mmCIF file of all heavy atoms in Angstrom:
data_model
loop_
_atom_site.group_PDB
_atom_site.id
_atom_site.type_symbol
_atom_site.label_atom_id
_atom_site.label_comp_id
_atom_site.label_asym_id
_atom_site.label_seq_id
_atom_site.Cartn_x
_atom_site.Cartn_y
_atom_site.Cartn_z
ATOM 1 N N GLU A 1 108.668 108.233 116.378
ATOM 2 C CA GLU A 1 107.579 108.519 117.406
ATOM 3 C C GLU A 1 106.675 107.361 117.444
ATOM 4 O O GLU A 1 106.541 106.613 116.465
ATOM 5 C CB GLU A 1 106.901 109.847 117.046
ATOM 6 C CG GLU A 1 106.192 109.732 115.693
ATOM 7 C CD GLU A 1 105.547 111.140 115.435
ATOM 8 O OE1 GLU A 1 105.933 112.130 116.096
ATOM 9 O OE2 GLU A 1 104.732 111.177 114.510
ATOM 10 N N VAL A 2 106.029 107.199 118.593
ATOM 11 C CA VAL A 2 105.038 106.218 118.586
ATOM 12 C C VAL A 2 103.674 106.781 118.187
ATOM 13 O O VAL A 2 103.495 107.963 118.305
ATOM 14 C CB VAL A 2 104.729 105.682 120.198
ATOM 15 C CG1 VAL A 2 106.110 104.970 120.629
ATOM 16 C CG2 VAL A 2 104.467 106.766 121.031
ATOM 17 N N THR A 3 102.809 105.954 117.615
ATOM 18 C CA THR A 3 101.525 106.422 117.243
ATOM 19 C C THR A 3 100.454 105.460 117.840
ATOM 20 O O THR A 3 100.766 104.342 117.995
ATOM 21 C CB THR A 3 101.375 106.349 115.655
ATOM 22 O OG1 THR A 3 101.615 104.972 115.278
ATOM 23 C CG2 THR A 3 102.368 107.280 115.001
ATOM 24 N N THR A 4 99.328 106.041 118.061
ATOM 25 C CA THR A 4 98.255 105.327 118.610
ATOM 26 C C THR A 4 96.846 105.730 117.997
ATOM 27 O O THR A 4 96.631 106.982 117.781
ATOM 28 C CB THR A 4 98.037 105.709 120.168
ATOM 29 O OG1 THR A 4 99.399 105.543 120.793
ATOM 30 C CG2 THR A 4 97.157 104.780 120.848
ATOM 31 N N ASP A 5 96.080 104.735 117.619
ATOM 32 C CA ASP A 5 94.872 105.090 116.933
ATOM 33 C C ASP A 5 93.792 105.686 117.954
ATOM 34 O O ASP A 5 93.195 106.585 117.597
ATOM 35 C CB ASP A 5 94.221 103.865 116.215
ATOM 36 C CG ASP A 5 95.247 103.370 115.177
ATOM 37 O OD1 ASP A 5 95.797 104.176 114.422
ATOM 38 O OD2 ASP A 5 95.444 102.141 115.073
ATOM 39 N N TYR A 6 93.696 104.898 119.076
ATOM 40 C CA TYR A 6 92.694 105.276 119.968
ATOM 41 C C TYR A 6 93.113 105.242 121.439
ATOM 42 O O TYR A 6 93.931 104.348 121.722
ATOM 43 C CB TYR A 6 91.327 104.431 119.953
ATOM 44 C CG TYR A 6 90.744 104.398 118.574
ATOM 45 C CD1 TYR A 6 90.991 103.587 117.588
ATOM 46 C CD2 TYR A 6 89.629 105.411 118.484
ATOM 47 C CE1 TYR A 6 90.296 103.529 116.390
ATOM 48 C CE2 TYR A 6 88.882 105.382 117.190
ATOM 49 C CZ TYR A 6 89.296 104.587 116.162
ATOM 50 O OH TYR A 6 88.681 104.612 115.011
ATOM 51 N N TYR A 7 92.707 106.301 122.195
ATOM 52 C CA TYR A 7 92.952 106.170 123.675
ATOM 53 C C TYR A 7 91.534 106.162 124.319
ATOM 54 O O TYR A 7 90.735 107.095 124.066
ATOM 55 C CB TYR A 7 93.685 107.234 124.321
ATOM 56 C CG TYR A 7 93.873 107.025 125.761
ATOM 57 C CD1 TYR A 7 94.897 106.272 126.191
ATOM 58 C CD2 TYR A 7 93.033 107.662 126.723
ATOM 59 C CE1 TYR A 7 95.133 106.086 127.587
ATOM 60 C CE2 TYR A 7 93.215 107.470 128.049
ATOM 61 C CZ TYR A 7 94.231 106.673 128.540
ATOM 62 O OH TYR A 7 94.411 106.409 129.884
ATOM 63 N N VAL A 8 91.144 105.144 124.986
ATOM 64 C CA VAL A 8 89.840 104.999 125.599
ATOM 65 C C VAL A 8 89.961 105.512 127.055
ATOM 66 O O VAL A 8 90.547 104.877 127.888
ATOM 67 C CB VAL A 8 89.300 103.642 125.561
ATOM 68 C CG1 VAL A 8 87.844 103.568 126.231
ATOM 69 C CG2 VAL A 8 89.094 103.140 124.153
ATOM 70 N N LEU A 9 89.441 106.695 127.298
ATOM 71 C CA LEU A 9 89.651 107.444 128.550
ATOM 72 C C LEU A 9 88.446 107.031 129.529
ATOM 73 O O LEU A 9 87.256 107.167 129.136
ATOM 74 C CB LEU A 9 89.708 108.904 128.325
ATOM 75 C CG LEU A 9 90.102 109.884 129.489
ATOM 76 C CD1 LEU A 9 90.733 111.087 128.857
ATOM 77 C CD2 LEU A 9 88.950 110.208 130.360
ATOM 78 N N GLN A 10 88.716 106.743 130.711
ATOM 79 C CA GLN A 10 87.755 106.251 131.739
ATOM 80 C C GLN A 10 87.559 107.390 132.786
ATOM 81 O O GLN A 10 88.494 107.925 133.331
ATOM 82 C CB GLN A 10 88.172 105.009 132.428
ATOM 83 C CG GLN A 10 88.426 103.753 131.427
ATOM 84 C CD GLN A 10 88.926 102.609 132.125
ATOM 85 O OE1 GLN A 10 88.429 102.171 133.198
ATOM 86 N NE2 GLN A 10 90.041 102.028 131.611
ATOM 87 N N VAL A 11 86.321 107.626 133.112
ATOM 88 C CA VAL A 11 85.949 108.537 134.180
ATOM 89 C C VAL A 11 84.969 107.917 135.138
ATOM 90 O O VAL A 11 83.850 107.600 134.586
ATOM 91 C CB VAL A 11 85.425 109.908 133.670
ATOM 92 C CG1 VAL A 11 85.121 110.853 134.784
ATOM 93 C CG2 VAL A 11 86.271 110.560 132.590
ATOM 94 N N GLY A 12 85.447 107.629 136.336
ATOM 95 C CA GLY A 12 84.502 106.936 137.130
ATOM 96 C C GLY A 12 84.555 105.465 136.961
ATOM 97 O O GLY A 12 85.526 104.765 136.434
ATOM 98 N N GLU A 13 83.488 104.764 137.465
ATOM 99 C CA GLU A 13 83.357 103.274 137.371
ATOM 100 C C GLU A 13 82.833 102.783 135.996
ATOM 101 O O GLU A 13 81.689 102.472 135.937
ATOM 102 C CB GLU A 13 82.431 102.842 138.502
ATOM 103 C CG GLU A 13 82.988 103.087 139.844
ATOM 104 C CD GLU A 13 84.322 102.526 140.130
ATOM 105 O OE1 GLU A 13 84.542 101.283 139.743
ATOM 106 O OE2 GLU A 13 85.153 103.204 140.757
ATOM 107 N N THR A 14 83.732 103.005 135.049
ATOM 108 C CA THR A 14 83.279 102.711 133.665
ATOM 109 C C THR A 14 84.172 101.628 133.010
ATOM 110 O O THR A 14 84.147 101.528 131.787
ATOM 111 C CB THR A 14 83.314 103.920 132.822
ATOM 112 O OG1 THR A 14 84.618 104.500 132.748
ATOM 113 C CG2 THR A 14 82.398 105.040 133.412
ATOM 114 N N ARG A 15 84.795 100.818 133.840
ATOM 115 C CA ARG A 15 85.873 99.890 133.258
ATOM 116 C C ARG A 15 85.173 98.960 132.239
ATOM 117 O O ARG A 15 85.754 98.728 131.134
ATOM 118 C CB ARG A 15 86.553 99.207 134.348
ATOM 119 C CG ARG A 15 87.721 98.221 133.825
ATOM 120 C CD ARG A 15 88.338 97.541 134.875
ATOM 121 N NE ARG A 15 87.430 96.572 135.528
ATOM 122 C CZ ARG A 15 87.631 95.848 136.677
ATOM 123 N NH1 ARG A 15 88.865 96.077 137.327
ATOM 124 N NH2 ARG A 15 86.844 95.004 137.103
ATOM 125 N N SER A 16 83.989 98.427 132.577
ATOM 126 C CA SER A 16 83.411 97.306 131.694
ATOM 127 C C SER A 16 83.089 97.913 130.367
ATOM 128 O O SER A 16 83.410 97.239 129.451
ATOM 129 C CB SER A 16 82.109 96.877 132.456
ATOM 130 O OG SER A 16 81.505 95.866 131.592
ATOM 131 N N GLU A 17 82.492 99.059 130.264
ATOM 132 C CA GLU A 17 82.173 99.712 128.959
ATOM 133 C C GLU A 17 83.393 100.087 128.131
ATOM 134 O O GLU A 17 83.449 99.838 127.021
ATOM 135 C CB GLU A 17 81.170 100.817 129.147
ATOM 136 C CG GLU A 17 80.556 101.299 127.879
ATOM 137 C CD GLU A 17 79.773 100.149 127.137
ATOM 138 O OE1 GLU A 17 79.078 99.336 127.840
ATOM 139 O OE2 GLU A 17 79.839 100.046 125.867
ATOM 140 N N ALA A 18 84.306 100.648 128.919
ATOM 141 C CA ALA A 18 85.628 100.999 128.317
ATOM 142 C C ALA A 18 86.322 99.756 127.727
ATOM 143 O O ALA A 18 86.840 99.861 126.666
ATOM 144 C CB ALA A 18 86.492 101.804 129.293
ATOM 145 N N ALA A 19 86.275 98.655 128.506
ATOM 146 C CA ALA A 19 86.938 97.450 127.946
ATOM 147 C C ALA A 19 86.260 96.893 126.692
ATOM 148 O O ALA A 19 86.796 96.413 125.815
ATOM 149 C CB ALA A 19 86.966 96.429 129.078
ATOM 150 N N ARG A 20 84.914 97.014 126.676
ATOM 151 C CA ARG A 20 84.256 96.494 125.584
ATOM 152 C C ARG A 20 84.593 97.329 124.320
ATOM 153 O O ARG A 20 84.851 96.760 123.239
ATOM 154 C CB ARG A 20 82.633 96.694 125.747
ATOM 155 C CG ARG A 20 81.830 96.275 124.543
ATOM 156 C CD ARG A 20 80.331 96.745 124.560
ATOM 157 N NE ARG A 20 80.217 98.163 124.435
ATOM 158 C CZ ARG A 20 80.257 98.883 123.296
ATOM 159 N NH1 ARG A 20 80.537 98.177 122.235
ATOM 160 N NH2 ARG A 20 80.190 100.103 123.228
ATOM 161 N N ILE A 21 84.667 98.607 124.411
ATOM 162 C CA ILE A 21 85.004 99.554 123.313
ATOM 163 C C ILE A 21 86.510 99.250 122.859
ATOM 164 O O ILE A 21 86.749 99.206 121.696
ATOM 165 C CB ILE A 21 84.768 101.001 123.614
ATOM 166 C CG1 ILE A 21 83.299 101.227 123.865
ATOM 167 C CG2 ILE A 21 85.401 101.907 122.665
ATOM 168 C CD1 ILE A 21 83.004 102.668 124.403
ATOM 169 N N SER A 22 87.330 99.087 123.875
ATOM 170 C CA SER A 22 88.738 98.751 123.470
ATOM 171 C C SER A 22 88.834 97.531 122.707
ATOM 172 O O SER A 22 89.627 97.412 121.695
ATOM 173 C CB SER A 22 89.602 98.815 124.781
ATOM 174 O OG SER A 22 89.550 99.998 125.431
ATOM 175 N N ARG A 23 88.197 96.423 123.202
ATOM 176 C CA ARG A 23 88.272 95.171 122.489
ATOM 177 C C ARG A 23 87.616 95.287 121.080
ATOM 178 O O ARG A 23 88.205 94.701 120.141
ATOM 179 C CB ARG A 23 87.457 94.084 123.314
ATOM 180 C CG ARG A 23 88.092 93.734 124.657
ATOM 181 C CD ARG A 23 87.606 92.418 125.169
ATOM 182 N NE ARG A 23 86.155 92.343 125.156
ATOM 183 C CZ ARG A 23 85.444 92.735 126.164
ATOM 184 N NH1 ARG A 23 85.993 93.237 127.277
ATOM 185 N NH2 ARG A 23 84.142 92.673 126.132
ATOM 186 N N ALA A 24 86.606 96.052 120.971
ATOM 187 C CA ALA A 24 85.958 96.113 119.613
ATOM 188 C C ALA A 24 86.893 96.781 118.659
ATOM 189 O O ALA A 24 86.989 96.404 117.470
ATOM 190 C CB ALA A 24 84.572 96.826 119.741
ATOM 191 N N LEU A 25 87.615 97.841 119.130
ATOM 192 C CA LEU A 25 88.467 98.587 118.250
ATOM 193 C C LEU A 25 89.720 97.755 117.930
ATOM 194 O O LEU A 25 90.188 97.741 116.793
ATOM 195 C CB LEU A 25 88.911 99.859 118.839
ATOM 196 C CG LEU A 25 87.821 101.004 119.012
ATOM 197 C CD1 LEU A 25 88.279 102.128 119.944
ATOM 198 C CD2 LEU A 25 87.371 101.476 117.701
ATOM 199 N N ARG A 26 90.182 97.055 118.926
ATOM 200 C CA ARG A 26 91.399 96.114 118.574
ATOM 201 C C ARG A 26 91.014 94.953 117.698
ATOM 202 O O ARG A 26 91.868 94.610 116.767
ATOM 203 C CB ARG A 26 91.863 95.554 119.896
ATOM 204 C CG ARG A 26 92.632 96.527 120.825
ATOM 205 C CD ARG A 26 93.117 95.980 122.120
ATOM 206 N NE ARG A 26 93.635 96.993 122.975
ATOM 207 C CZ ARG A 26 93.320 97.231 124.257
ATOM 208 N NH1 ARG A 26 92.471 96.244 124.886
ATOM 209 N NH2 ARG A 26 93.889 98.141 125.040
ATOM 210 N N ASP A 27 89.788 94.538 117.831
ATOM 211 C CA ASP A 27 89.341 93.463 116.876
ATOM 212 C C ASP A 27 89.415 94.025 115.374
ATOM 213 O O ASP A 27 89.516 93.145 114.411
ATOM 214 C CB ASP A 27 87.929 93.038 117.154
ATOM 215 C CG ASP A 27 87.914 92.172 118.356
ATOM 216 O OD1 ASP A 27 88.883 91.696 118.746
ATOM 217 O OD2 ASP A 27 86.631 91.980 118.901
ATOM 218 N N ARG A 28 89.326 95.320 115.141
ATOM 219 C CA ARG A 28 89.451 95.869 113.873
ATOM 220 C C ARG A 28 90.858 96.127 113.475
ATOM 221 O O ARG A 28 91.108 96.690 112.396
ATOM 222 C CB ARG A 28 88.647 97.062 113.839
ATOM 223 C CG ARG A 28 87.136 96.924 113.784
ATOM 224 C CD ARG A 28 86.329 98.114 114.265
ATOM 225 N NE ARG A 28 84.904 98.054 114.066
ATOM 226 C CZ ARG A 28 84.054 97.309 114.865
ATOM 227 N NH1 ARG A 28 84.552 96.751 115.964
ATOM 228 N NH2 ARG A 28 82.785 97.379 114.656
ATOM 229 N N GLY A 29 91.777 95.697 114.359
ATOM 230 C CA GLY A 29 93.189 95.876 113.964
ATOM 231 C C GLY A 29 93.827 97.259 114.424
ATOM 232 O O GLY A 29 94.976 97.515 113.935
ATOM 233 N N HIS A 30 93.195 97.977 115.241
ATOM 234 C CA HIS A 30 93.734 99.270 115.596
ATOM 235 C C HIS A 30 94.590 99.229 116.872
ATOM 236 O O HIS A 30 94.464 98.327 117.709
ATOM 237 C CB HIS A 30 92.609 100.243 115.850
ATOM 238 C CG HIS A 30 91.676 100.388 114.699
ATOM 239 N ND1 HIS A 30 92.217 100.792 113.395
ATOM 240 C CD2 HIS A 30 90.317 100.378 114.601
ATOM 241 C CE1 HIS A 30 91.186 100.662 112.636
ATOM 242 N NE2 HIS A 30 90.051 100.501 113.220
ATOM 243 N N VAL A 31 95.515 100.157 117.000
ATOM 244 C CA VAL A 31 96.268 100.315 118.283
ATOM 245 C C VAL A 31 95.466 101.089 119.293
ATOM 246 O O VAL A 31 95.068 102.274 119.006
ATOM 247 C CB VAL A 31 97.638 101.078 117.974
ATOM 248 C CG1 VAL A 31 98.513 101.262 119.210
ATOM 249 C CG2 VAL A 31 98.465 100.276 116.873
ATOM 250 N N VAL A 32 95.203 100.520 120.396
ATOM 251 C CA VAL A 32 94.238 101.045 121.354
ATOM 252 C C VAL A 32 94.858 100.957 122.738
ATOM 253 O O VAL A 32 95.384 99.921 123.172
ATOM 254 C CB VAL A 32 92.928 100.373 121.351
ATOM 255 C CG1 VAL A 32 91.915 100.984 122.420
ATOM 256 C CG2 VAL A 32 92.264 100.229 120.068
ATOM 257 N N GLU A 33 94.861 102.085 123.506
ATOM 258 C CA GLU A 33 95.322 102.047 124.893
ATOM 259 C C GLU A 33 94.126 102.579 125.671
ATOM 260 O O GLU A 33 93.249 103.375 125.353
ATOM 261 C CB GLU A 33 96.546 102.952 125.229
ATOM 262 C CG GLU A 33 97.817 102.283 124.697
ATOM 263 C CD GLU A 33 98.989 102.835 125.338
ATOM 264 O OE1 GLU A 33 99.011 102.912 126.643
ATOM 265 O OE2 GLU A 33 99.968 103.247 124.728
ATOM 266 N N THR A 34 94.114 102.103 126.985
ATOM 267 C CA THR A 34 93.201 102.539 127.951
ATOM 268 C C THR A 34 93.876 102.644 129.343
ATOM 269 O O THR A 34 94.986 102.209 129.492
ATOM 270 C CB THR A 34 91.890 101.709 127.966
ATOM 271 O OG1 THR A 34 90.900 102.360 128.744
ATOM 272 C CG2 THR A 34 92.226 100.312 128.583
ATOM 273 N N ASP A 35 93.285 103.266 130.277
ATOM 274 C CA ASP A 35 93.892 103.503 131.582
ATOM 275 C C ASP A 35 94.063 102.209 132.309
ATOM 276 O O ASP A 35 93.119 101.384 132.519
ATOM 277 C CB ASP A 35 93.073 104.533 132.393
ATOM 278 C CG ASP A 35 93.746 104.964 133.658
ATOM 279 O OD1 ASP A 35 94.953 105.217 133.647
ATOM 280 O OD2 ASP A 35 93.146 104.970 134.752
ATOM 281 N N VAL A 36 95.319 102.061 132.853
ATOM 282 C CA VAL A 36 95.554 100.902 133.675
ATOM 283 C C VAL A 36 96.238 101.302 134.989
ATOM 284 O O VAL A 36 96.804 100.603 135.724
ATOM 285 C CB VAL A 36 96.538 99.811 132.980
ATOM 286 C CG1 VAL A 36 95.788 99.201 131.849
ATOM 287 C CG2 VAL A 36 97.837 100.435 132.558
ATOM 288 N N ALA A 37 96.227 102.680 135.263
ATOM 289 C CA ALA A 37 97.021 103.214 136.381
ATOM 290 C C ALA A 37 96.117 104.044 137.344
ATOM 291 O O ALA A 37 96.622 104.666 138.224
ATOM 292 C CB ALA A 37 98.149 104.063 135.899
ATOM 293 N N GLY A 38 94.755 104.070 137.047
ATOM 294 C CA GLY A 38 93.900 104.846 137.992
ATOM 295 C C GLY A 38 94.136 106.323 137.985
ATOM 296 O O GLY A 38 94.020 107.018 138.989
ATOM 297 N N ARG A 39 94.435 106.928 136.776
ATOM 298 C CA ARG A 39 94.831 108.306 136.772
ATOM 299 C C ARG A 39 93.582 109.223 136.531
ATOM 300 O O ARG A 39 92.510 108.783 136.197
ATOM 301 C CB ARG A 39 95.731 108.560 135.508
ATOM 302 C CG ARG A 39 97.221 108.021 135.821
ATOM 303 C CD ARG A 39 98.036 108.015 134.585
ATOM 304 N NE ARG A 39 97.488 107.158 133.548
ATOM 305 C CZ ARG A 39 98.157 106.859 132.457
ATOM 306 N NH1 ARG A 39 99.403 107.317 132.236
ATOM 307 N NH2 ARG A 39 97.616 106.097 131.589
ATOM 308 N N SER A 40 93.754 110.472 136.824
ATOM 309 C CA SER A 40 92.720 111.460 136.770
ATOM 310 C C SER A 40 92.382 111.721 135.284
ATOM 311 O O SER A 40 93.134 111.305 134.384
ATOM 312 C CB SER A 40 93.083 112.757 137.345
ATOM 313 O OG SER A 40 94.187 113.358 136.619
ATOM 314 N N PHE A 41 91.251 112.466 134.969
ATOM 315 C CA PHE A 41 90.880 112.864 133.655
ATOM 316 C C PHE A 41 92.019 113.568 132.983
ATOM 317 O O PHE A 41 92.442 113.207 131.819
ATOM 318 C CB PHE A 41 89.601 113.598 133.667
ATOM 319 C CG PHE A 41 89.163 114.144 132.336
ATOM 320 C CD1 PHE A 41 88.282 113.355 131.566
ATOM 321 C CD2 PHE A 41 89.654 115.347 131.751
ATOM 322 C CE1 PHE A 41 87.805 113.879 130.255
ATOM 323 C CE2 PHE A 41 89.223 115.727 130.555
ATOM 324 C CZ PHE A 41 88.282 115.008 129.818
ATOM 325 N N GLY A 42 92.571 114.650 133.609
ATOM 326 C CA GLY A 42 93.642 115.391 133.024
ATOM 327 C C GLY A 42 94.908 114.617 132.714
ATOM 328 O O GLY A 42 95.511 114.761 131.641
ATOM 329 N N ALA A 43 95.271 113.676 133.746
ATOM 330 C CA ALA A 43 96.433 112.983 133.469
ATOM 331 C C ALA A 43 96.284 111.928 132.281
ATOM 332 O O ALA A 43 97.236 111.676 131.569
ATOM 333 C CB ALA A 43 96.808 112.133 134.722
#
């Protein structure tokens, strides 16, 4: 199975802050994903 440390979920126009958090977590060596498909909160 795949494992992921963090998923940074974006709601609305929050890409800039979500990207900052994602980069900071990746800098610590974690596996981090965030939305790149414009999906809804539930998706």
